[in-house]
Amino acid sequence: MNMTLQELFDDVPENFAGMEFPNHLATDSRDVIPGGAFVALEGEKTDGHKYIPQAVNNGAGLVIVRKGKNPGNLSIPVIELENPERDLASTASRKLKAHNLTDIIAITGSVGKTTTRAALQKVLSPKFNLHAPERSFNTLIGCTATIMAMPKESQILILEFGANKPGEIRELTEYFPPSIAILTAVAPVHLEGFGSVEGVLREKIEITHSASIRKIIFNNDNEYLNEAFKYVVKSMGVGEHKDSDFVISHDTSEYKIPSLSFVIAHRPTQEIARFTANIWGKHNALPLALAAAVGHELGLTLQKCSEAIKDFEAMPGRGKIIMLDDEKFVVDDSYNANPASMKASLETFAEVKISGEKIAVLGEMRELGENAVEYHKNLEQLFEGIDHVILTGDIWAKAVEKKYIFVKTWQEALEALKKIMNENNWQGILIKGSHSIGLENIVKDLTE
């Protein structure tokens, strides 16, 4: 049973006071499900209040608006708030305090948050009642939506904390203080907002200032996080470095398409287990290992974590391997890209031993600030060993030699790709770029 509207809000229509808050909250009218709540937010480009009729048509059972913007003609309850986003966050924060959770686990970092969250759900779900976001809901309203939909029987809450500018992680931490913080990486991402990688680091470690923090689990291979936490008592490092608490080691002979295989050793106890998963690249061992470290912290053996993760598959756009037939495959890494994740994916593609040719369709990396061209240029050496490279976006043309195929849109990239596929004996295709370029449409076309 969820909390009632009367328990959550001060000003509730009397005839709806005993109604339970819905199990689903959406800020996009297209995402509303029957009986769910719709929050009308005012953004830079549009005003959600314009879409209240569409939300009602889609079956909304509750609408939340800014005070003074109640349409006044709805048959469903309408809650008016001074600031819907922050007032709802305060409501969600009160709900958390009233809930007897074992732990609140929050994940932040420049890359790998959603994959780590999905792996963590696999590891912990056999033992605990979990509640986690249904998608990459890593903003204030996204975390609020996740919490407002949390069932009372939940024991552990998992959240993702994202940020595009300074202060956002601190705000999330103050509203929803985690007891366990996971830091996946610090890398040059959203530099237009943070100015430098050091600015990214300052933002990410705000999560550790939670009043409830009892454990910090971090990527020990990341130079910034290694330096920040190597002397912190509450912290545990995960990575290939031999001084990590959880040491990852790879046996390249075990690495085959479409699976990833690696070993985790818990250095303090010498406990060891092998992990396998259907996911792209050695770099994705880290999210799985971070999840295993949390599981171990919560009383699971590494072997139990391994058993839980064995059928783990990457989500679309995040290193998902799609077999087109017995040999030909597409790597769908199209959801996002930054220098660290692009480097890792290209290195993996270079290492894979296949008989046919390799094709890479790479979208430019956005939001990198004034050094964007340099970040792209530094990746050119990783094109060696890839037979055909299609580069999408204007930045690539400024950064690398002219011996590759340059296009401006995903449609042009798809046309160039199909020509290569028709004329050559290829086996593997890697597709990766910033989400706004739309390379997922190429994956859709190839796999339909």
Side-chain angles (χ1 to χ4, degrees):
M1 180 178 176
N2 287 343
M3 298 177 76
T4 65
L5 299 186
Q6 190 172 43
E7 290 174 305
L8 292 170
F9 304 104
D10 294 330
D11 189 12
V12 179
E14 185 176 347
N15 53 325
F16 292 113
M19 173 181 162
E20 291 182 25
F21 193 88
N23 283 325
H24 189 273
L25 184 152
T27 58
D28 188 322
S29 61
R30 295 167 295 186
D31 294 334
V32 169
I33 66 172
F38 173 67
V39 186
L41 298 180
E42 297 163 317
E44 295 179 2
K45 297 181 180 180
T46 188
D47 184 349
H49 295 85
K50 296 178 181 178
Y51 299 94
I52 291 174
Q54 288 92 321
V56 174
N57 287 338
N58 287 338
L62 171 69
V63 171
I64 299 171
V65 301
R66 182 178 288 278
K67 188 154 287 192
K69 288 202 169 187
N70 186 339
N73 57 354
L74 301 183
S75 60
I76 59 175
V78 178
I79 303 294
E80 295 187 57
L81 301 174
E82 291 288 348
N83 185 324
E85 183 176 21
R86 281 173 173 73
D87 290 351
L88 267 178
S90 296
T91 302
S93 183
R94 292 197 304 273
K95 178 177 179 177
L96 272 186
K97 290 175 183 176
H99 203 106
N100 189 27
L101 288 167
T102 303
D103 276 298
I104 300 172
I105 304 171
I107 308 162
T108 194
S110 301
V111 295
K113 294 185 292 295
T114 300
T115 300
T116 302
R117 185 256 298 165
L120 196 53
Q121 288 177 261
K122 277 283 189 183
V123 167
L124 298 182
S125 58
K127 184 175 180 180
F128 301 99
N129 287 325
L130 300 179
H131 184 66
E134 61 183 41
R135 298 206 301 264
S136 183
F137 290 162
N138 57 29
T139 61
L140 182 63
I141 191 63
C143 290
T144 297
T146 298
I147 293 165
M148 295 303 287
M150 181 175 64
K152 282 193 173 181
E153 64 270 17
S154 301
Q155 296 170 291
I156 291 178
L157 171 66
I158 304 174
L159 297 171
E160 295 181 40
F161 284 4
N164 296 323
K165 60 183 185 294
E168 292 182 330
I169 298 296
R170 176 178 286 275
E171 182 177 49
L172 287 164
T173 300
E174 289 175 349
Y175 276 113
F176 318 124
S179 54
I180 298 176
I182 304 174
L183 293 99
T184 63
V186 168
V189 177
H190 302 305
L191 294 187
E192 292 176 354
F194 297 118
S196 66
V197 183
E198 289 73 20
V200 177
L201 173 65
R202 285 192 296 272
E203 180 68 15
K204 298 303 181 185
I205 63 176
E206 289 285 355
I207 195 174
T208 66
H209 297 157
S210 165
S212 304
I213 201 75
R214 68 177 179 83
K215 189 64 67 175
I216 302 162
I217 299 175
F218 68 97
N219 174 2
N220 196 39
D221 294 336
N222 185 270
E223 59 179 318
Y224 298 98
L225 295 177
N226 178 290
E227 186 65 26
F229 294 117
K230 62 183 176 182
Y231 299 122
V232 177
V233 175
K234 292 181 179 179
S235 68
M236 295 193 304
V238 179
E240 295 181 30
H241 277 303
K242 300 306 179 186
D243 65 347
S244 301
D245 296 278
F246 293 86
V247 181
I248 301 169
S249 57
H250 296 276
D251 180 356
T252 54
S253 65
E254 293 282 343
Y255 181 60
K256 301 172 183 176
I257 292 292
S259 65
L260 169 66
S261 179
F262 61 97
V263 171
I264 300 177
H266 183 228
R267 193 164 55 90
T269 63
Q270 300 300 304
E271 185 182 356
I272 296 175
R274 176 171 289 281
F275 287 70
T276 59
N278 184 18
I279 191 169
W280 172 251
K282 292 195 294 185
H283 57 287
N284 273 317
L286 178 71
L288 275 58
L290 289 168
V294 175
H296 198 271
E297 170 69 13
L298 296 181
L300 298 172
T301 65
L302 285 180
Q303 188 57 44
K304 283 290 185 185
C305 295
S306 171
E307 291 169 5
I309 217 85
K310 65 183 178 182
D311 60 347
F312 180 83
E313 292 190 6
M315 291 168 287
R318 303 176 189 272
K320 186 174 182 64
I321 301 168
I322 305 166
M323 302 301 296
L324 301 182
D325 59 27
D326 291 341
E327 292 188 346
K328 296 183 185 297
F329 64 92
V330 174
V331 179
D332 177 13
D333 212 4
S334 61
Y335 183 79
N336 217 335
N338 59 61
S341 66
M342 186 73 83
K343 179 176 182 290
S345 209
L346 286 168
E347 285 177 341
T348 297
F349 201 36
E351 287 180 10
V352 172
K353 301 295 188 295
I354 57 178
S355 57
E357 294 181 348
K358 299 176 183 178
I359 310 169
V361 182
L362 307 176
E364 67 185 15
M365 302 173 291
R366 295 179 173 170
E367 297 185 58
L368 293 179
E370 60 184 18
N371 294 319
V373 172
E374 190 67 22
Y375 283 120
H376 285 74
K377 184 177 181 179
N378 291 340
L379 292 167
E380 185 175 7
Q381 60 183 326
L382 299 176
F383 297 168
E384 295 297 324
I386 300 176
D387 301 283
H388 308 277
V389 180
I390 302 170
L391 301 173
T392 312
D394 295 331
I395 301 177
W396 283 118
K398 301 173 185 177
V400 302
E401 293 184 26
K402 305 306 178 189
K403 61 182 180 179
Y404 309 105
I405 300 171
F406 295 89
V407 297
K408 292 183 178 293
T409 66
W410 71 262
Q411 292 92 337
E412 293 174 352
L414 177 59
E415 184 179 346
L417 174 61
K418 287 190 171 180
K419 186 174 187 297
I420 293 171
M421 292 169 67
N422 289 332
E423 296 176 357
N424 296 273
N425 180 28
W426 65 277
Q427 186 177 350
I429 302 173
L430 169 65
I431 300 176
K432 186 169 182 64
S434 286
H435 185 61
S436 58
I437 297 169
L439 296 187
E440 71 276 6
N441 293 295
I442 297 179
V443 177
K444 182 179 179 181
D445 185 274
L446 295 177
T447 56
E448 280 183 337

